[in-house]
Amino acid sequence: MGEVSLGTLYDINKSLMKKEKKLSYPALTNKLKQVTKFFKNNKMYFMLLCNEAKDYTIFKINNHASAEKATEELKECLLNRGEILGISKVDEIQEAFEIWIKMNNDAYCYYLFPYDEAIIEV
């Protein structure tokens, strides 16, 4: 008897997220307030990563004031990619956000996380 593969957990989440509606403006604003606090956590570099889309962006946060500006830049960055479906803290990794975006009728998962350890300045 053959087995039926349901796919990976990511595949299941991706399929479910394709059906979600984009975040309302108030919900998006509320979620981005959490991101601003995240940017203020004394790290300097953050990466926005979507491996599936081969999309990598690095943000440099110089101080608390630039955290506000970085949040606005992140918002524009996400909106330029597509419809924002969800932004949530990753439970297993308290220093990361999971961001789902719908682009061309497909859903993609982005991760936003501190990236200081990967930057070498000489």
Side-chain angles (χ1 to χ4, degrees):
M1 184 172 252
E3 290 184 30
V4 176
S5 174
L6 296 176
T8 65
L9 181 57
Y10 178 80
D11 293 332
I12 294 168
N13 285 337
K14 182 178 173 91
S15 178
L16 292 172
M17 289 307 290
K18 281 187 208 181
K19 299 171 187 170
E20 287 292 316
K21 293 182 181 177
K22 71 179 183 177
L23 286 177
S24 67
Y25 185 79
L28 177 59
T29 300
N30 188 44
K31 295 291 185 179
L32 289 174
K33 286 178 186 175
Q34 295 173 6
V35 173
T36 300
K37 290 178 188 174
F38 180 64
F39 278 151
K40 290 180 179 180
N41 76 357
N42 298 322
K43 300 287 184 179
M44 183 177 283
Y45 296 96
F46 295 83
M47 178 176 269
L48 177 65
L49 163 72
C50 177
N51 196 44
E52 182 180 9
K54 307 294 186 253
D55 190 353
Y56 316 96
T57 304
I58 296 176
F59 293 83
K60 182 179 180 185
I61 314 294
N62 294 318
N63 53 44
H64 285 283
S66 69
E68 301 281 342
K69 177 71 173 153
T71 302
E72 283 302 311
E73 293 295 327
L74 173 66
K75 178 181 172 184
E76 289 302 314
C77 187
L78 297 173
L79 289 171
N80 284 334
R81 283 165 172 75
E83 296 178 347
I84 303 169
L85 305 174
I87 300 174
S88 59
K89 270 234 173 176
V90 178
D91 290 334
E92 301 82 33
I93 309 165
Q94 287 301 309
E95 289 198 353
F97 276 87
E98 181 178 280
I99 303 167
W100 283 92
I101 300 176
K102 186 185 260 185
M103 300 182 288
N104 301 322
N105 295 319
D106 205 356
Y108 293 88
C109 185
Y110 281 76
Y111 291 97
L112 178 68
F113 55 92
Y115 202 62
D116 286 27
E117 291 79 15
I119 303 294
I120 299 171
E121 293 187 50
V122 292

